[in-house]
Amino acid sequence: MIIATTGALAADPGDPIVYRGSYQDICAQAEEDGYRAIEMHIEDSAQIDRRALWQTLADHNLRLTSIGTGAVFFSRGYSLTNPDAAIRKACIAHMEAHMQTAQPYGAVVIVGCVQGRLASGQAPETFLQRMADSLFHLDVLAEKYGVTIGLEIMNRFESDVLNTIDEGIAFLKANGFAHTKLHLDTVHMNIEETRIGDAIRRGGALIGHVHLADNDRWYPGHAHYDFSETLRALYDIHYTGALALEIKPYPDVRTASRLSLSYLQGLMTPAMLQV
Ligand code: LER
Ligand code: MN
């Protein structure tokens, strides 16, 4: 398991992303704060200079673990379940560009907010079928680029379907994707799961990515989420992926960043920290 921080070229002050600014500034600060891995939230991979990003990551000894993709749902309304087939197609092409950015690292491309929301009057079965059809296309593309799709399990206030790990397991098993795994998030698990450690153990090898934040979306250690239980369960299932900090940069970016790392390192054994 590797602890990853998060960055984006731009984000609202309260968005759950640690560093904001140029890739150069983000990577320099992340390295200085002690990180070796990062999740980048990118609005449009077709609009960035990928080679410059890869070079900047290398210059600062950072591995790209994952790409956060949700911004385009809010800016352009793209989603994998939009009733308009042309929008679903545009969303798939948009996600393919993220896979090209992720390719050298075999990183996880996150399918979180781009799942979309259920329109009023839309049947959940239709919504889930559209999601499965779109994910099938993404799964084939993920094979081509050597990346993994992280299907994020989100709480009922932010997602209308697949709110629990068990629901995610059933969905993945029913569809038989080859490169699509479950993406867990401590904030969502805290709301939806009855026994978090047990649910993670049931997910087992299907779990491909993890977001960490305390239950109030501040840095781990700020509130009352039981990170020991989650880390122990991830260790027990031999999870070797990233623990990416999807946290609000409070009280300020550098404090949130440094306290996250020291708190998590204090909870993790050397064996857990081995990648
Ligand atoms: C997306 O990764 C997610 O977890 C959202 O709840 C964050 O706003
Ligand atoms: Mn998340």
Side-chain angles (χ1 to χ4, degrees):
M1 291 188 255
I2 187 163
I3 301 168
T5 188
T6 42
L9 293 174
D12 287 340
D15 283 350
I17 289 168
V18 181
Y19 304 98
R20 300 102 186 282
S22 68
Y23 290 137
Q24 175 57 41
D25 287 350
I26 290 171
C27 293
Q29 288 178 47
E31 183 184 27
E32 196 176 289
D33 288 339
Y35 290 88
R36 292 287 168 269
I38 191 160
E39 172 176 301
M40 286 293 184
H41 287 239
I42 302 175
E43 177 157 359
D44 188 346
S45 265
Q47 289 179 1
I48 63 164
D49 182 344
R50 286 190 188 97
R51 287 181 190 287
L53 170 60
W54 296 332
Q55 187 58 54
T56 308
L57 290 163
D59 289 346
H60 294 282
N61 302 308
L62 289 165
R63 186 175 112 197
L64 181 69
T65 56
S66 34
I67 298 181
T69 64
V72 79
F73 173 66
F74 300 102
S75 63
R76 290 185 219 164
Y78 281 9
S79 78
L80 299 178
T81 55
N82 194 292
D84 183 341
I87 295 179
R88 298 200 296 277
K89 197 172 163 195
C91 187
I92 290 166
H94 177 88
M95 297 297 279
E96 181 174 5
H98 286 316
M99 292 186 205
Q100 289 165 358
T101 307
Q103 186 174 23
Y105 297 88
V108 171
V109 175
I110 296 174
V111 171
C113 293
V114 292
Q115 290 171 33
R117 299 300 302 255
L118 201 58
S120 85
Q122 192 184 8
E125 294 75 18
T126 311
F127 181 91
L128 277 170
Q129 190 54 53
R130 286 195 179 120
M131 183 133 86
D133 291 347
S134 296
L135 280 170
F136 178 74
H137 288 289
L138 293 186
D139 199 67
V140 170
L141 290 168
E143 159 106 36
K144 173 175 168 190
Y145 293 106
V147 301
T148 299
I149 302 298
L151 179 65
E152 188 163 18
I153 302 302
M154 295 182 289
N155 74 66
R156 68 192 71 183
F157 307 109
E158 299 182 58
S159 176
D160 306 294
V161 297
L162 309 183
N163 303 124
T164 65
I165 295 176
D166 284 345
E167 288 167 348
I169 294 170
F171 180 76
L172 288 195
K173 286 193 172 161
N175 288 289
F177 304 117
H179 303 281
T180 302
K181 296 202 164 190
L182 298 179
H183 164 183
L184 310 185
D185 181 319
T186 54
V187 170
H188 302 307
M189 291 192 286
N190 180 59
I191 294 172
E192 298 293 349
E193 304 297 339
T194 44
R195 296 277 178 272
I196 291 174
D198 295 347
I200 290 172
R201 287 184 183 86
R202 288 195 297 276
L206 288 177
I207 296 172
H209 192 55
V210 177
H211 274 164
L212 296 188
D214 218 318
N215 54 281
D216 54 1
R217 272 267 180 241
W218 283 52
Y219 57 84
H222 177 259
H224 63 77
Y225 186 86
D226 184 355
F227 288 94
S228 297
E229 180 195 25
T230 292
L231 293 168
R232 166 55 56 184
L234 289 170
Y235 181 69
D236 288 348
I237 62 162
H238 310 295
Y239 176 71
T240 55
L243 304 167
L245 290 160
E246 192 180 48
I247 60 170
K248 292 177 184 284
Y250 298 157
D252 60 80
V253 170
R254 305 307 283 274
T255 305
S257 176
R258 290 171 184 172
L259 290 181
S260 295
L261 194 59
S262 58
Y263 182 74
L264 292 170
Q265 284 175 336
L267 293 180
M268 293 171 77
T269 61
M272 285 179 178
L273 282 162
Q274 248 163 28
V275 192

